[in-house]
Amino acid sequence: MKLEKTKNAKRNIIWGSISKIVLLLLPFITRTILINKLGSDYLGLNTLFTSILSVLSLAELGFSEAVVFHMYDPIAKEDNKTINAILKMLNKVYFVVGVVILVLGIAIMPFLKYLIKGDIPSDVNLYILFTIFLANNAVSYFGLSYRTSLFPAHQRNDIINKIQTIVTSFMNVIQIIVLLCFQNYYLYIIFLPIGTLITYIILFNIAKRKYPEYYPDGALSTEQVSSIKKNIKGIVLHKLGGVLSNSADSIIISAILGLTVLAMYSNYFYVITVLSGFYVVITDGIMGGVGNSLATESREKNYSDLIKFSFMGCWIVSWCTVCLCSLYQPFMLIWVGDSLMFNTATMLLFGLYFYVMRFDSIGGVYKSALGVWNEDCFRPIISGLLNLSLNIILALILNTYAPEYSVIGILLSSIICKLFIDYPWGSIVTFRKMGGGMKKYTLFLVFYSIVTLVSIVVTYLLCDLIPMEREILGIWYFVLRLGICVIVPNVIFTLFYFKLKAFKDSKNFILSHLKRN
């Protein structure tokens, strides 16, 4: 079967973008109604259980990613026998994973109450609720999801995006109706496993119809199994590090600070997730071109492209950070009200958190394209363990002596690990593979960061000149500040950057693509 690479890439980008927009913005409406109709503690429970089950999902151990990688070659060679053997193995592994997740989930149930500080909503049975979340997490592993690996293996992620977008949107609409009409949390949450089951049934049948030549049969050779296991190592450790850095944050907040604080944290974090989601569409869009360039162009050309793309990426990330610092609180005031808002210091740290997590995203794209996962495999574990330790220590100390700043400990842990472990370690591995240039690249990022800080201070002070008469101005207060955020930082960026070669290269790159289109 001949793959239509260009056509498939366009499909993936278009439907990936649509899926990002719908699956980030529609749940925003659902989340808003959930808070208004039932209360923030219910949102806290959602966040906690999702985080716990993210940890349990490590049972999958990145197996699907490694398997998809090993499908590329036999698909290109039309080796159906090997594909069928891979599908049979994947089906068996997924069944075992589903059983492990269920067993671990049941085993953790007696300890759920210790992961929540304070009371839970009186009309909620913690164990029934967790069972529903557990079913949502495990349902796809029993005879359904193994066939969906055929889509990414054939570069048809757009099919998965389409179905997930349609089903999730439909389920969100039903959940909104349920919340508005019945205000029943069990009835609201039961549609999670229903939606997941429907999604995988549809994808299973589409894969069966679209690729009838593939079915689970046969066995892989010892060498093939060993090769898959070898590739799993790097993916597993990266997944584990990601869970320790992200999901553990929510669990610790719930256990030490309570469900209401967790709900507040998840609201602020949701805004960051939305911005990151749109930015990831950009980085995903250039991934294929970067990989091709690394394989065909000179070291000098690739390094020049890295500086150029990093400049454009930092401009976007810096502007988003400026907007966060000046618009976070007005937006939260309109969205959830001042009772669910953090203080200004915590808000500013959320802005810094976003910047630190994203300022080197283009470097991450190059690292992925270079395929240095095994060389980099122990970094996420060390970073994740340090993050987990700092989370607990700082959260306990601040909750004891300065409870209003307790969430700052969680944010600081992630920022410290990113700046002092993730960035330097990941960059050393990347630039060693590229043939050098880390020092110059780092100096560029430091310069961009200084300009970003200047822009944040100037923009924030100008926004602060607008009278804080919230009751009178309402949404217009936010719009006025937005206008300042659109103009001021971009003027500052231009004044600082217009003489840089990266600025000129980026301008020419954008203009040439606009003319071409």
Side-chain angles (χ1 to χ4, degrees), residues 56-124:
L56 297 185
S57 292
L58 280 172
E60 198 265 333
L61 294 178
F63 196 82
S64 59
E65 288 93 332
V67 165
V68 167
F69 176 80
H70 281 268
M71 284 185 178
Y72 292 144
D73 186 59
I75 285 174
K77 295 177 179 177
E78 298 186 0
D79 181 2
N80 292 359
K81 183 178 178 181
T82 299
I83 297 295
N84 292 340
I86 289 174
L87 286 179
K88 184 176 180 180
M89 179 184 64
L90 192 58
N91 191 22
K92 289 181 179 178
V93 169
Y94 273 170
F95 181 84
V96 173
V97 167
V99 172
V100 169
I101 289 175
L102 285 176
V103 170
L104 290 176
I106 293 169
I108 207 174
M109 279 189 183
F111 305 98
L112 288 176
K113 59 184 178 181
Y114 300 110
L115 298 178
I116 301 173
K117 181 182 179 181
D119 297 328
I120 64 170
S122 58
D123 61 340
V124 166

Side-chain angles (χ1 to χ4, degrees), residues 4 13 106 137 140 145 193 218 244 247 257 261 282 300 339 351 368 386 399 409 442 459 485 493 517:
E4 301 172 304
I13 291 172
I106 293 169
N137 199 258
S140 64
S145 59
L244 289 173
S247 299
L257 308 177
V261 176
I282 299 172
E300 291 74 19
S339 63
S368 297
L386 177 60
N399 191 46
T442 302
T459 306
C485 290
F493 295 160
N517 295 328

Side-chain angles (χ1 to χ4, degrees), residues 29-286:
I29 301 172
T30 310
R31 171 184 290 254
T32 304
I33 296 172
L34 176 63
I35 294 171
N36 290 331
K37 292 295 181 181
L38 296 179
S40 58
D41 283 353
Y42 293 88
L43 178 60
L45 285 171
N46 266 16
T47 306
L48 173 62
F49 289 161
T50 301
S51 298
I52 292 172
L53 290 166
S54 293
V55 176
L56 297 185
S57 292
L58 280 172
E60 198 265 333
L61 294 178
F63 196 82
S64 59
E65 288 93 332
V67 165
V68 167
F69 176 80
H70 281 268
M71 284 185 178
Y72 292 144
D73 186 59
I75 285 174
K77 295 177 179 177
E78 298 186 0
D79 181 2
N80 292 359
K81 183 178 178 181
T82 299
I83 297 295
N84 292 340
I86 289 174
L87 286 179
K88 184 176 180 180
M89 179 184 64
L90 192 58
N91 191 22
K92 289 181 179 178
V93 169
Y94 273 170
F95 181 84
V96 173
V97 167
V99 172
V100 169
I101 289 175
L102 285 176
V103 170
L104 290 176
I106 293 169
I108 207 174
M109 279 189 183
F111 305 98
L112 288 176
K113 59 184 178 181
Y114 300 110
L115 298 178
I116 301 173
K117 181 182 179 181
D119 297 328
I120 64 170
S122 58
D123 61 340
V124 166
N125 183 303
L126 210 57
Y127 307 105
I128 293 176
L129 186 61
F130 185 75
T131 300
I132 296 173
F133 274 89
L134 183 60
N136 176 59
N137 199 258
V139 66
S140 64
Y141 288 107
F142 296 102
L144 290 174
S145 59
Y146 74 96
R147 276 189 180 268
T148 61
S149 61
L150 292 170
F151 296 123
H154 285 85
Q155 297 180 25
R156 291 305 308 271
N157 284 310
D158 64 294
I159 294 175
I160 296 176
N161 287 327
K162 285 177 188 177
I163 301 304
Q164 285 182 337
T165 301
I166 292 168
V167 175
T168 304
S169 299
F170 182 68
M171 288 300 160
N172 269 268
V173 170
I174 293 177
Q175 286 179 313
I176 289 170
I177 294 172
V178 165
L179 287 173
L180 291 173
C181 296
F182 303 102
Q183 298 180 28
N184 185 297
Y185 189 61
Y186 287 113
L187 195 56
Y188 160 81
I189 217 68
I190 196 66
F191 285 101
L192 282 179
I194 292 174
T196 300
L197 183 61
I198 291 173
T199 297
Y200 279 97
I201 288 174
I202 293 173
L203 287 172
F204 179 88
N205 284 288
I206 291 175
K208 193 173 182 180
R209 187 175 69 250
K210 190 171 181 62
Y211 307 110
E213 67 272 27
Y214 302 134
Y215 49 88
D217 182 60
L220 293 171
S221 67
T222 304
E223 292 78 12
Q224 288 171 318
V225 173
S226 298
S227 179
I228 291 174
K229 287 181 178 178
K230 181 181 177 182
N231 284 328
I232 286 175
K233 174 187 171 185
I235 298 172
V236 169
L237 294 177
H238 275 85
K239 274 198 163 190
L240 180 57
V243 167
L244 289 173
S245 296
N246 298 319
S247 299
D249 291 358
S250 298
I251 297 172
I252 290 167
I253 291 173
S254 174
I256 297 176
L257 308 177
L259 290 177
T260 300
V261 176
L262 178 57
M264 294 165 64
Y265 176 87
S266 69
N267 286 338
Y268 277 78
F269 197 82
Y270 185 80
V271 176
I272 289 176
T273 302
V274 171
L275 289 177
S276 297
F278 288 122
Y279 185 67
V280 166
V281 171
I282 299 172
T283 56
D284 285 352
I286 69 170

